[in-house]
């Protein structure tokens, strides 16, 4: 089974192929884009050890030559030294303006290689082959690329749309349960922000999907990608609606900073907790019913996911400090923080008109439950 989602962006439009075994067809799917039969692949060493052979065999089958650069796995790779390494490697490999660079890995590789491609020779095309659930449903689609700096996450970057995205559901089978569930945080986010029907489907099929059901995984990735593709097509550079994709992320970014971007809290775990906090805040402000945050948490618990600040191990700063971290968010403009709040499950909206005392009280209460 294979599904196709198109991101309608005029001359920058592209396809996302989703399905089991898409990787085995990568050569045939990439071939039409090539001006000469040659690609450069950048992956992380872990993904390369598991899946690179499948990709290179698929390229060989179409007579496409390839070279590979494998980088260390982990968030620290999304940084300046690796931008230099990737771009200089691509130049040494004589990758030209018309060639294609392949980003083969999770969101770290996709963001780094997308950014390197955007500045190499003032922009070369790239193909995303996302291998983590998070990358398949979120980071590989939409053209946001970039790296982290000591000043914060994703602060250096560019909009650079890929020319093709290949999401093979089968490769998700080698993810650790924790990485898989972190990616699920972004899947649940789509239902929560704009599609009650999808959230209800997840309530029913989520556990099956986590257990490995291929049809359910395909459907979850397809619906997530379709939703992101539609939003990106309407608002590519986040002048409005695209901000809804940041549901839960302001809380998440503060918690990620508070835990030092360490493996105490993975990004997708922070998104899940952040979504629950956004619904809790919405309920306290009278924007949505009290049942909504309870239902969000119940589903996360059902999925055996972190659902509250109390699920994060170790020391955490107090609510005032977390508020400060929230104010450092990229979405602050002229000192005002835009929040994504919800009127109900599937009905998120952007507002800057939020009482900060309420947000602080939500955090204080959540921290009180922290052991
Ligand atoms: N550009 C965007 O729009 C966007 C959106 C969301 C997140 N992001 C970024 O994505 C990054 C997180 O992505 P991620 O969670 O994929 O992190 P990641 O790339 O670090 O991957 C997580 C771990 O999974 C491993 N892995 C990946 N695929 C695997 C597979 N098939 N089998 C076994 N192991 C596999 C990796 O080696 C890594 O250790 C963050 O840097 C975040 O900022 C970007
Ligand atoms: Zn995210």
């Amino acid at each position: 089974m294979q599904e196709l989602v198109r991101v309608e962006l005029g001359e920058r439009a592209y396809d996302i192929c989703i399905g089991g075994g898409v990787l085995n067809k990568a050569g045939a799917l990439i071939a039409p884009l090539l001006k000469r039969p040659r690609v450069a692949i950048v992956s992380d060493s872990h993904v390369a050890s598991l899946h690179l052979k499948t990709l290179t065999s698929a390229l060989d089958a179409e007579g496409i030559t390839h070279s590979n650069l494998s980088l260390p796995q982990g968030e620290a790779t999304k940084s300046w030294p690796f931008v230099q390494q990737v771009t200089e490697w691509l130049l040494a490999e004589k990758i030209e303006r018309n060639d294609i660079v392949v980003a083969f890995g999770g969101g770290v590789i996709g963001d780094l290689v997308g950014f390197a491609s955007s500045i190499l020779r003032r922009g070369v095309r790239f193909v995303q082959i996302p291998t983590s659930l998070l990358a398949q449903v979120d980071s590989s689609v939409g053209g946001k690329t970039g790296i982290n700096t000591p000043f914060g996450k994703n602060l250096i970057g560019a909009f650079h749309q890929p020319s093709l995205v290949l999401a093979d559901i089968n490769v998700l089978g080698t993810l650790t349960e924790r990485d898989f569930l972190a990616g699920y945080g972004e899947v649940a986010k789509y239902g929560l922000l704009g599609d009650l029907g999808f959230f209800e489907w997840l309530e029913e099929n989520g556990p099956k999907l986590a257990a490995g059901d291929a049809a359910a995984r395909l459907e979850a990735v397809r619906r997530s990608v379709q939703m992101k593709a539609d939003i990106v097509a309407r608002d590519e550079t986040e002048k409005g609606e695209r901000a809804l994709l940041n549901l839960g992320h302001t809380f998440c970014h503060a918690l990620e900073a508070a835990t030092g971007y360490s493996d105490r809290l993975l990004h997708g775990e922070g998104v899940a907790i952040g979504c629950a906090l956004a619904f809790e805040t919405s309920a306290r402000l009278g924007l949505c019913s009290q049942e909504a945050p309870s239902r969000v948490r119940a589903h996360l618990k059902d999925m055996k996911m972190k659902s509250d600040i109390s699920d994060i191990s170790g020391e955490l700063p107090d609510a005032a400090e977390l508020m400060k971290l929230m104010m450092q968010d990229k979405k602050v403009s002229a000192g005002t923080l835009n929040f994504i709040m919800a009127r109900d499950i599937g009905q998120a909206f952007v507002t800057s008109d939020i009482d900060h005392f309420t947000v602080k009280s939500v955090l204080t209460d959540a921290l009180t439950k922290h052991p």
Side-chain angles (χ1 to χ4, degrees):
M1 269 275 279
Q2 200 171 305
E3 301 274 359
L4 203 67
V5 172
R6 190 155 176 84
V7 187
E8 297 290 358
L9 283 171
E11 59 184 17
R12 278 168 287 106
Y14 54 97
D15 288 329
I16 303 159
C17 295
I18 311 157
V22 165
L23 190 57
N24 305 77
K25 299 180 208 149
L29 292 165
I30 293 172
L33 300 174
L34 301 177
K35 299 278 195 298
R36 57 171 179 159
R38 156 150 191 48
V39 295
I41 307 163
V42 183
S43 57
D44 84 32
S45 53
H46 185 56
V47 171
S49 70
L50 293 165
H51 301 293
L52 184 62
K53 189 79 195 63
T54 313
L55 173 58
T56 56
S57 303
L59 294 168
D60 290 339
E62 298 296 317
I64 301 168
T65 59
H66 44 80
S67 38
N68 170 247
L69 174 68
S70 291
L71 302 174
Q73 71 184 104
E75 188 71 32
T77 298
K78 244 178 78 172
S79 58
W80 278 121
F82 291 97
V83 175
Q84 182 174 10
Q85 189 182 342
V86 171
T87 47
E88 290 181 357
W89 177 75
L90 291 168
L91 292 172
E93 287 293 320
K94 303 202 166 46
I95 292 302
E96 299 170 359
R97 265 313 277 282
N98 286 322
D99 289 331
I100 292 266
V101 179
V102 176
F104 185 47
V108 164
I109 290 296
D111 280 11
L112 170 75
V113 177
F115 180 53
S117 304
S118 80
I119 56 175
L120 185 81
R121 301 184 193 277
R122 298 209 174 83
V124 301
R125 294 170 304 154
F126 79 119
V127 168
Q128 290 267 23
I129 308 188
T131 59
S132 67
L133 179 60
L134 184 137
Q136 293 194 354
V137 299
D138 195 352
S139 62
S140 65
V141 177
K144 280 192 185 176
T145 72
I147 55 167
N148 308 322
T149 78
F151 293 91
K153 271 195 71 169
N154 300 328
L155 290 181
I156 304 287
F159 281 101
H160 188 48
Q161 300 291 345
S163 300
L164 176 70
V165 181
L166 304 178
D168 190 331
I169 310 298
N170 292 351
V171 304
L172 301 178
T174 53
L175 283 170
T176 62
E177 187 185 13
R178 188 175 178 200
D179 278 321
F180 184 87
L181 288 178
Y184 187 85
E186 302 278 11
V187 175
K189 177 192 79 177
Y190 289 108
L192 293 173
L193 78 88
D195 191 342
L196 172 62
F198 184 38
F199 187 75
E200 286 170 342
W201 184 90
L202 290 172
E203 286 180 315
E204 193 174 327
N205 295 282
K208 191 161 84 181
L209 173 168
D213 186 292
R217 285 184 174 191
L218 179 61
E219 178 66 359
V221 174
R222 183 191 68 78
R223 286 180 82 157
S224 301
V225 162
Q226 183 73 59
M227 210 161 146
K228 180 149 185 190
D230 290 347
I231 291 175
V232 167
R234 289 191 294 263
D235 179 21
E236 184 181 10
T237 54
E238 199 167 314
K239 295 197 171 62
E241 186 189 1
R242 186 167 178 169
L244 293 179
L245 296 171
N246 297 320
L247 176 65
H249 279 64
T250 303
F251 290 107
C252 169
H253 291 155
L255 293 169
E256 281 184 288
T259 49
Y261 304 98
S262 68
D263 70 356
R264 279 173 66 197
L265 185 72
L266 302 180
H267 175 73
E269 295 173 336
V271 171
I273 295 172
C275 285
L277 291 170
F279 273 84
E280 183 67 43
T281 309
S282 302
R284 286 214 199 168
L285 290 166
L287 297 165
C288 75
S289 72
Q290 275 302 335
E291 286 74 47
S294 309
R295 188 170 169 188
V296 175
R297 287 219 170 83
H299 178 54
L300 297 175
K301 287 209 174 87
D302 236 24
M303 295 298 293
K304 303 189 175 55
M305 292 170 70
K306 293 186 172 65
S307 64
D308 211 338
I309 289 183
S310 54
D311 297 325
I312 303 170
S313 65
E315 293 283 307
L316 285 173
D318 64 12
E321 188 58 31
L322 285 177
M323 286 297 288
K324 263 195 227 151
L325 292 170
M326 287 173 78
M327 292 305 287
Q328 280 166 20
D329 200 89
K330 269 209 297 317
K331 288 173 287 298
V332 175
S333 65
T336 306
L337 181 54
N338 286 324
F339 275 96
I340 321 298
M341 292 285 116
R343 292 195 182 84
D344 203 345
I345 289 174
Q347 291 181 38
F349 64 101
V350 186
T351 175
S352 57
D353 183 23
I354 290 296
D355 172 21
H356 285 206
F357 288 106
T358 308
V359 180
K360 195 173 166 193
S361 77
V362 167
L363 291 171
T364 305
D365 292 354
L367 284 162
T368 317
K369 285 183 269 160
H370 193 259

